[in-house]
């Protein structure tokens, strides 16, 4: 009875007002015993096992606050080695714990100190071991280290000695502390990896161990919202700004798809966190072109997309939504996380692959198909050898993704190349049968296109020399014999001309565009031409012609003296100082296809014809009615020409400004003087 009164009195004295110095002393005492215990544990391990892991080799540094094994001070008690009192300290540690335990004050006195020590040591060790290291998993190593920490906690909360008996209450306390330490570790480790998630995504798949560790921790903590907000802000700060190339943004988005699918198979984190990337890519003009170039293997570092396209079992890009009821086994169903968008199909989200996610940025596959048609046409028209094996393979792979109907035009384009090769072979065979004097002066090879199935070609005026036009007419007649009821419409400015330029002291063999060939052919009849004279003969604008002349200036065939007058250089003047000739970058690798702006203008003019007809018949229509009627009658076919309501409104407003339309009260009509 007296003993209980004494204990009660001690409790009252100690906890009536706990001073700061008392708390600091308790923390210093437990910190010292923690270092000593971890040091003793390390020595015991070294005595039983000579071969330590790479983690154990550095434990002396990370387990003690004083680094360096050669220090004259003891790493445990911080005294000189010859005056080490580690064993005495551990005895005092055990005695204090026993006293506090008998007073029923152990956890109340030591809890804050123990918590602070463990948190600090876990954070320090994590910074030393894990920060910036993504290629190794650290969970198992930390679990081993935490078991050592639990050993120290057992010294604090369980009785020690030969007669010690741990009470159920003490065991429960230790179990609670174990859970606390593990939860704290998972939370701190997850927070660190969330901070580094941008770099982890960038380095994926090398960083896959870090992703797997983060996934394990997220399943045991409630940090999904922290991850989403942190990753969004990191993407907006480090990626989504004008200084980053579109191709680099797409590359990182592909890495994000792979990494976040590993992290969250439901794909909800990917859907939410990467929405800023998708929105930003929609604002870049070259996004579609970069994705299509990646699919066909033309873009730098496009291996991921090209490999994805070659997959044996691709995801078909259909417009319809997939039902969650399509899951084959009911037992395989897994509910979505609470932050998933309920308006989107779970199975569709989970089954999406890289290509389907990239295509869905715009919500329509037609943009990609049209861009691929333009890219395919450009490549076919620049080959000049009719070799299309690679393109045939790409079209077949794209058909698996987009469907046969969508790729029909591309198939016709490839068929045109095969037909052109066959027709040219037939015409060449006929020419070889003719007598020498009846054969054409030079060989002419044509690529014959079905104009309705090819994207719009660039339009430029060019008047070719008579001998070239005669050869083309002769070719057309031979073609008409082979293909009855069909004729050719030549694009004079497109193609490639192989020619030899024979000068007094040298001969140059070059392959140039038709306009370059037409320029130099005119110098056969006259050695000096002014820019204006050439412009009139060739029907080419002066500004465009001046850019074309730079090729012959660079080759040393022509010189410009005086300004605007060009003369042939028959003999090369080696002692003359070379002049630097700047070639317009647009001249190199010039596309044969019309630009996107030109194509859009042509499409809008097609709409204008329909709009005029509608307003002629119905007199006046609202913007919404015009758009719905265009959607019904114009926006159909294998290659859909689309215009959204904002584009249509801008187009109609431009027509109002040009006085071709009248808008009043939100209704459009034609002016009375319009036929």
């Amino acid at each position: 009875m007296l003993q209980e009164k004494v204990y009660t009195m001690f409790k009252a004295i100690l906890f009536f007002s706990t001073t700061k110095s008392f708390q600091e002393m308790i923390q210093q005492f437990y910190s010292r015993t923690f270092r000593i215990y971890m040091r003793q544990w390390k020595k015991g391990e070294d005595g039983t096992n000579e071969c330590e892991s790479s983690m154990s080799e550095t434990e002396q540094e990370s387990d003690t606050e004083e680094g360096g094994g050669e220090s004259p001070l003891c790493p445990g008690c911080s005294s000189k080695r010859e005056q080490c009192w580690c064993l005495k300290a551990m005895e005092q540690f055990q005695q204090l714990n026993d006293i506090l335990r008998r007073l029923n004050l152990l956890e109340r006195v030591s809890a804050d100190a123990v918590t602070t020590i463990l948190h600090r040591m876990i954070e320090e060790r994590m910074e030393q071991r894990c920060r910036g290291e993504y290629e190794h998993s650290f969970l198992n190593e930390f679990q081993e280290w935490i078991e050592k920490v639990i050993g120290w906690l057992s010294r604090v909360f369980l009785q020690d000695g030969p007669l010690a008996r741990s009470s159920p209450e003490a065991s429960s306390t230790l179990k609670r502390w174990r859970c606390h330490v593990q939860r704290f570790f998972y939370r701190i480790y997850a927070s660190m990896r969330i901070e580094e998630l941008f770099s982890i995504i960038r380095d994926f798949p090398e960083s896959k161990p870090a992703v797997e560790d983060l996934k394990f921790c997220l399943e045991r903590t409630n940090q999904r919202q922290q991850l989403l907000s942190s990753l969004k802000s990191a993407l907006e700060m480090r990626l989504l700004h004008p200084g980053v190339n579109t191709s680099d943004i797409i590359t990182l988005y592909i890495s994000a798809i792979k990494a976040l699918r590993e992290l969250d198979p439901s794909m909800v984190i990917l859907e939410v966190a990467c929405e800023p990337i998708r929105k930003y890519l929609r604002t870049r003009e070259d996004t579609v072109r970069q994705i299509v170039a990646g699919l066909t293997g033309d873009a730098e570092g496009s291996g991921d997309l090209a490999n994805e396209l070659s997959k044996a079992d691709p995801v078909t890009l259909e417009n319809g939504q997939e039902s969650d009821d399509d899951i084959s086994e009911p037992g395989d169903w897994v509910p979505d996380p609470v932050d998933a968008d309920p308006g989107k199909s779970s199975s569709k989200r989970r089954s999406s692959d890289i290509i389907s996610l990239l295509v869905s940025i715009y919500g329509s596959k037609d943009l990609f198909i049209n861009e691929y048609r333009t890219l395919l046409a450009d490549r076919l028209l620049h080959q000049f050898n009719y070799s299309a094996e690679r393109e045939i393979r790409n079209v077949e792979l794209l058909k698996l993704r987009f469907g046969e109907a969508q790729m029909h035009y591309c198939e016709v384009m490839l068929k045109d190349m095969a037909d052109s090769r066959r027709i040219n072979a037939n015409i060449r065979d006929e020419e070889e049968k003719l007598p020498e004097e009846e054969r054409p002066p030079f060989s002419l090879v044509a690529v014959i296109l079905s104009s309705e199935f090819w994207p719009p070609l660039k339009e430029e005026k060019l008047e070719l020399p008579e001998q070239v036009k005669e050869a083309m007419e002769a070719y057309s007649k031979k073609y008409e014999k082979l293909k009855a009821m069909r004729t050719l419409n030549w694009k004079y400015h497109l193609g490639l001309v192989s020619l030899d330029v024979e000068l007094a002291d040298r001969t140059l063999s070059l392959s140039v565009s038709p306009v370059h060939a037409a320029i130099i052919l005119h110098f056969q009849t006259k050695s000096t031409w002014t820019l204006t004279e050439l412009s009139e003969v060739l029907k080419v604008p002066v500004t465009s012609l001046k850019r074309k002349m730079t090729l012959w200036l660079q080759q040393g065939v022509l010189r410009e003296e005086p300004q605007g007058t060009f003369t042939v250089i028959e003999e090369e003047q080696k002692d003359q100082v070379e002049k630097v000739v700047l070639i317009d970058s647009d001249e190199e690798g010039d596309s044969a296809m019309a630009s996107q702006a030109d194509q859009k203008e042509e499409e809008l003019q097609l709409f204008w014809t329909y709009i005029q007809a509608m307003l002629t018949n119905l007199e006046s229509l609202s913007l919404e009615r015009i758009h719905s009627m265009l959607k019904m009658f114009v926006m159909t076919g294998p290659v859909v020409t689309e215009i959204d309501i904002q584009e249509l409104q801008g187009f109609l407003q431009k027509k109002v400004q040009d006085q071709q339309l009248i808008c009043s009260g939100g209704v459009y009509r034609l002016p009375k003087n319009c036929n």
Side-chain angles (χ1 to χ4, degrees):
M1 192 69 181
L2 180 62
Q3 189 179 18
E4 288 181 8
K5 285 183 179 180
V6 172
Y7 283 164
T8 304
M9 185 175 64
F10 271 119
K11 285 182 185 179
I13 293 169
L14 285 173
F15 287 98
F16 176 75
S17 177
T18 307
T19 62
K20 187 177 180 182
S21 58
F22 174 76
Q23 294 173 0
E24 288 174 354
M25 282 190 296
I26 290 290
Q27 187 161 331
Q28 286 175 5
F29 180 80
Y30 278 101
S31 294
R32 184 184 296 115
T33 56
F34 180 81
R35 289 199 307 272
I36 293 170
Y37 174 81
M38 297 301 281
R39 181 65 185 162
Q40 288 178 343
W41 195 95
K42 173 71 168 63
K43 283 183 177 178
E45 285 289 298
D46 289 342
T48 56
N49 187 1
E50 296 297 326
C51 298
E52 294 284 343
S53 67
S54 60
M55 179 179 175
S56 297
E57 289 168 7
T58 59
E59 276 180 353
Q60 181 176 345
E61 231 176 89
S62 57
D63 286 344
T64 62
E65 293 178 342
E66 341 288 337
E70 299 301 320
S71 171
L73 299 179
C74 171
C77 61
S78 302
S79 301
K80 291 182 179 179
R81 290 184 179 272
E82 57 271 16
Q83 297 175 353
C84 174
W85 58 285
C86 288
L87 294 176
K88 185 69 175 173
M90 291 305 290
E91 288 176 11
Q92 292 175 354
F93 169 67
Q94 204 60 50
Q95 288 170 5
L96 177 63
N97 289 334
D98 289 342
I99 291 169
L100 292 174
R101 189 179 296 109
R102 288 198 299 273
L103 292 171
N104 292 326
L105 295 174
L106 177 59
E107 192 166 4
R108 188 165 185 179
V109 170
S110 64
D112 288 346
V114 169
T115 301
T116 302
I117 292 164
L118 293 180
H119 287 191
R120 188 182 74 245
M121 294 305 293
I122 289 172
E123 288 171 354
E124 287 178 1
R125 187 176 185 82
M126 199 173 292
E127 284 292 324
Q128 291 173 1
R129 299 284 304 147
C130 308
R131 177 73 69 178
E133 294 289 334
Y134 312 135
E135 298 185 14
H136 305 286
S137 173
F138 292 95
L139 291 182
N140 290 336
E141 295 180 2
F142 264 88
Q143 288 296 345
E144 292 175 9
W145 184 79
I146 286 171
E147 287 304 316
K148 302 177 196 175
V149 174
I150 300 300
W152 177 72
L153 287 173
S154 68
R155 291 284 191 96
V156 176
F157 297 111
L158 298 182
Q159 289 182 335
D160 198 17
L163 301 176
R165 288 187 302 171
S166 61
S167 66
E169 206 175 300
S171 298
S172 173
T173 301
L174 185 63
K175 187 176 181 182
R176 190 172 70 251
W177 275 93
R178 178 193 290 272
C179 292
H180 170 76
V181 171
Q182 287 183 331
R183 275 201 308 271
F184 180 77
F185 164 69
Y186 292 143
R187 185 165 56 81
I188 295 299
Y189 187 80
S191 296
M192 186 184 70
R193 288 307 189 212
I194 287 170
E195 286 176 26
E196 300 175 314
L197 190 52
F198 183 91
S199 300
I200 291 171
I201 288 171
R202 183 194 59 207
D203 294 349
F204 196 85
E206 287 77 12
S207 59
K208 187 176 178 181
V211 174
E212 291 173 343
D213 283 359
L214 178 57
K215 179 182 179 182
F216 183 87
C217 293
L218 285 177
E219 289 169 353
R220 288 153 180 80
T221 61
N222 187 23
Q223 292 175 275
R224 283 175 68 94
Q225 287 306 315
Q226 179 188 342
L227 183 149
L228 291 171
S229 59
S230 172
L231 182 55
K232 274 186 176 180
S233 62
L235 289 171
E236 288 168 1
M237 190 190 318
R238 299 176 63 179
L239 186 71
L240 307 181
H241 55 80
V244 184
N245 292 330
T246 303
S247 57
D248 294 332
I249 297 175
I250 293 170
T251 299
L252 192 123
Y253 182 42
I254 292 170
S255 292
I257 292 170
K258 294 178 178 178
L260 297 180
R261 177 186 280 138
E262 188 74 31
L263 180 65
D264 174 29
S266 72
M267 306 282 278
V268 173
I269 290 177
L270 173 68
E271 187 177 78
V272 176
C274 291
E275 186 58 30
I277 300 181
R278 298 165 65 82
K279 283 184 179 176
Y280 187 78
L281 283 173
R282 280 196 286 271
T283 66
R284 290 280 183 110
E285 292 182 357
D286 60 338
T287 298
V288 177
R289 184 164 63 253
Q290 291 288 347
I291 293 171
V292 170
L295 286 172
T296 55
D298 292 322
E300 187 178 345
S302 60
D304 286 333
L305 279 178
N307 292 338
E308 192 75 13
L309 185 64
S310 303
K311 276 189 176 178
D313 187 20
V315 175
T316 305
L317 301 174
E318 297 297 342
N319 294 324
Q321 292 291 328
E322 188 178 348
S323 170
D324 285 341
D325 297 333
D326 295 339
I327 298 172
S328 55
E329 293 292 335
D332 294 341
W333 180 79
V334 178
D336 278 341
V338 291
D339 49 354
D341 185 349
K344 295 188 179 178
S345 164
S346 170
S347 58
K348 188 176 181 66
R349 187 193 302 115
R350 291 169 190 263
S351 64
S352 297
D353 63 356
I354 293 171
I355 294 177
S356 61
L357 287 167
L358 286 171
V359 170
S360 67
I361 288 173
Y362 289 91
S364 168
K365 51 191 178 182
D366 300 318
L367 278 170
F368 292 87
I369 293 166
N370 289 338
E371 183 64 36
Y372 176 69
R373 283 177 66 226
T374 303
L375 185 144
L376 174 64
D378 223 13
R379 191 184 295 119
L380 291 175
L381 294 181
H382 276 86
Q383 282 183 348
F384 302 107
N385 60 2
Y386 308 108
S387 177
E389 287 79 9
R390 180 184 170 197
E391 282 68 37
I392 291 170
R393 174 182 175 274
N394 284 336
V395 168
E396 290 300 320
L397 290 171
L398 288 168
K399 277 165 64 178
L400 297 175
R401 293 272 178 180
F402 295 101
E404 299 239 355
Q406 300 287 345
M407 300 305 295
H408 174 63
Y409 280 27
C410 295
E411 289 185 296
V412 173
M413 291 160 65
L414 292 172
K415 183 176 181 295
D416 284 346
M417 298 303 290
D419 290 346
S420 298
R421 181 173 59 237
R422 189 176 63 255
I423 290 166
N424 278 295
N426 289 336
I427 291 175
R428 193 163 52 250
D429 290 343
E430 281 189 24
E431 288 174 351
E432 287 174 358
K433 295 174 184 176
L434 296 173
E436 189 71 32
E437 62 276 5
E438 293 182 22
R439 292 181 186 177
F442 52 84
S443 174
L444 180 64
V445 177
V447 177
I448 301 163
L449 315 179
S450 304
S451 59
E452 294 298 319
F453 294 88
W454 286 69
L457 299 172
K458 189 185 290 182
E459 293 294 340
E460 289 180 9
K461 286 185 178 179
L462 177 63
E463 187 71 23
L464 294 176
E466 283 301 319
Q467 56 181 335
V468 179
K469 289 170 74 175
E470 287 171 5
M472 287 181 169
E473 287 173 12
Y475 188 98
S476 295
K477 289 176 182 175
K478 292 169 186 171
Y479 173 78
E480 288 166 7
K481 285 183 183 178
L482 289 172
K483 299 281 185 179
M485 305 298 291
R486 296 176 73 179
T487 189
L488 297 177
N489 179 22
W490 293 90
K491 299 289 183 184
Y492 294 141
H493 61 288
L494 298 178
L496 186 72
V497 181
S498 298
L499 47 78
D500 294 331
V501 182
E502 295 182 357
L503 300 163
D505 61 345
R506 65 198 185 281
T507 300
L508 302 176
S509 296
L510 300 167
S511 293
V512 296
S513 70
V515 66
H516 288 114
I519 289 168
I520 205 64
L521 281 171
H522 280 87
F523 281 88
Q524 284 190 135
T525 56
K526 184 176 165 185
S527 62
T528 302
W529 288 80
T530 66
L531 206 58
T532 308
E533 290 172 345
L534 268 178
S535 176
E536 289 175 1
V537 172
L538 295 171
K539 309 296 184 193
V540 176
V542 172
T543 52
S544 176
L545 184 61
K546 189 171 177 62
R547 288 202 310 271
K548 304 292 183 183
M549 298 295 287
T550 54
L551 172 71
W552 298 115
L553 294 174
Q554 186 195 44
Q555 293 293 331
V557 176
L558 301 178
R559 70 169 177 267
E560 187 179 9
E561 282 182 7
Q563 185 77 20
T565 302
F566 297 87
T567 307
V568 177
I569 305 173
E570 286 289 349
E571 294 186 1
E572 199 170 9
Q573 299 171 352
K574 296 183 180 177
D575 56 338
Q576 191 172 355
V577 178
E578 288 187 10
K579 291 183 180 179
V580 177
V581 180
L582 297 178
I583 295 182
D584 193 332
S585 60
D586 290 340
E587 294 298 311
E588 298 180 7
D590 208 8
S591 172
M593 314 316 298
S595 67
Q596 290 293 328
D598 293 341
Q599 290 186 43
K600 195 67 183 175
E601 187 64 31
E602 189 175 331
E603 289 169 3
L604 291 174
Q605 287 306 318
L606 171 68
F607 290 129
W608 176 236
T609 306
Y610 280 90
I611 292 167
Q612 284 179 305
M614 284 188 269
L615 293 175
T616 302
N617 293 326
L618 302 174
E619 293 189 359
S620 62
L621 291 169
S622 66
L623 174 67
E624 291 76 14
R625 184 80 191 281
I626 293 172
H627 186 256
S628 63
M629 290 180 73
L630 287 175
K631 218 171 174 184
M632 189 183 303
F633 298 113
V634 186
M635 301 182 199
T636 55
V639 177
V640 180
T641 303
E642 290 189 353
I643 181 172
D644 60 36
I645 198 160
Q646 288 80 17
E647 280 182 313
L648 179 60
Q649 187 175 24
F651 177 68
L652 294 177
Q653 287 302 322
K654 189 172 181 297
K655 292 296 181 184
V656 171
Q657 292 169 8
D658 295 342
Q659 298 182 349
Q660 292 179 277
L661 272 183
I662 295 173
C663 181
S664 177
V667 174
Y668 294 90
R669 65 176 185 273
L670 292 170
K672 289 184 179 178
N673 61 351
C674 183
N675 294 325

